[in-house]
Amino acid sequence: MIKNVFLLFGLVVFGVTSCKTLDPVTMPTHMKLGQTYYTQYSLKYEKGRHRTTNYRKGMLLPVNSEVTLTEIDRKRVYVTIGSSGQELIIENVPKHTNTDSYQAFDRIFAENKVNLSGFTAAERNNIMSGSVAKGMRKKAVLIAIGPPPEIETPNLEMNQWKYWANRWNTYILHFEEDRVARIQD
C-alpha cells in the first residue's frame, strides 16, 4: 500500500514537473473548429504548407476553395482542403506580415465565397489561375495572388507592390491609375 502511494506520488510529481505551460490563447469567437470556410484569394503551397510570406510557387489553391478549420495556434492554421481531405498548414511569418495566425486566418479565409461577378473576363481568368497580367485592377490582383508581404509593401495604396516568387527572387507590380502597368522581375 505504501509502495503504491509513493509510486502514485512520483507519477504526479513527474507529470507536473515535465508538463509545458502554454500561454492561454483564446480563439476568436467567429472561428470554429470543424467549420467550412472559403479561400479569399488564390494561394500557392508546397509539401502541404503555405507561408504567409506568400511565395508564388507550388500547387495552386484557387480563390473560393472550400476548407475546414481543424486547428489553430499562435504560429499555424491547420485546414483540410475540400472533399480531398488533404491537410494544409498555413505558417504565419509575423516579420513579413505584421499579423498573428488569427489575423492571417481572417485574411485568407471567410465564411462566404468571393463574388467574382464585378471583374472582367480577363481578370476572372487570371484570378482563377493565380496569375497577374497588365491591365488588372488592384482588387483583382489581391484576389488572384493575395497581398504582398507588408515588410516590403506596408500600404496597398502604394503604386509598387513587391512579392517574393520564392525565397531568393522577388518581382514588383507597378500600378498606374489602379491598374497593373508593368511587371518587373
Side-chain angles (χ1 to χ4, degrees), residues 27-37 68-73 77-78 105:
M27 191 163 75
T29 57
H30 69 282
M31 294 178 195
K32 295 186 179 27
L33 298 181
Q35 184 166 324
T36 298
Y37 295 94
T68 302
L69 178 61
T70 58
E71 186 179 340
I72 188 167
D73 60 37
V77 177
Y78 300 82
F105 175 90

Side-chain angles (χ1 to χ4, degrees), residues 119-155:
F119 297 100
T120 67
E123 286 175 327
R124 281 194 304 273
N125 287 336
N126 283 300
I127 286 169
M128 295 313 292
S129 67
S131 61
V132 174
K134 282 182 166 182
M136 287 179 72
R137 292 173 287 169
K138 285 183 176 182
K139 64 183 182 179
V141 170
L142 286 173
I143 296 171
I145 63 172
E150 285 187 26
I151 192 168
E152 294 289 342
T153 309
N155 182 339

Side-chain angles (χ1 to χ4, degrees), residues 51-155:
R51 298 188 70 174
T52 56
T53 304
N54 200 10
Y55 297 133
R56 302 309 306 156
K57 64 179 193 161
M59 301 280 297
L60 175 69
L61 185 62
V63 65
N64 293 332
S65 292
E66 183 178 296
V67 301
T68 302
L69 178 61
T70 58
E71 186 179 340
I72 188 167
D73 60 37
R74 291 185 330 230
K75 295 181 180 182
R76 293 176 192 86
V77 177
Y78 300 82
V79 297
T80 53
I81 301 172
S83 59
S84 75
Q86 178 186 357
E87 181 178 65
L88 176 62
I89 301 169
I90 309 297
E91 294 179 340
N92 189 42
V93 185
K95 72 180 183 179
H96 292 164
T97 61
N98 293 324
T99 64
D100 62 25
S101 62
Y102 301 106
Q103 293 164 321
F105 175 90
D106 284 338
R107 281 185 179 178
I108 300 170
F109 305 108
E111 290 183 35
N112 298 307
K113 291 183 175 184
V114 175
N115 181 353
L116 300 177
S117 66
F119 297 100
T120 67
E123 286 175 327
R124 281 194 304 273
N125 287 336
N126 283 300
I127 286 169
M128 295 313 292
S129 67
S131 61
V132 174
K134 282 182 166 182
M136 287 179 72
R137 292 173 287 169
K138 285 183 176 182
K139 64 183 182 179
V141 170
L142 286 173
I143 296 171
I145 63 172
E150 285 187 26
I151 192 168
E152 294 289 342
T153 309
N155 182 339

Side-chain angles (χ1 to χ4, degrees), residues 53-57 163-171:
T53 304
N54 200 10
Y55 297 133
R56 302 309 306 156
K57 64 179 193 161
Y163 287 87
W164 273 272
N166 55 48
R167 286 183 68 179
W168 301 276
N169 298 316
T170 62
Y171 62 96

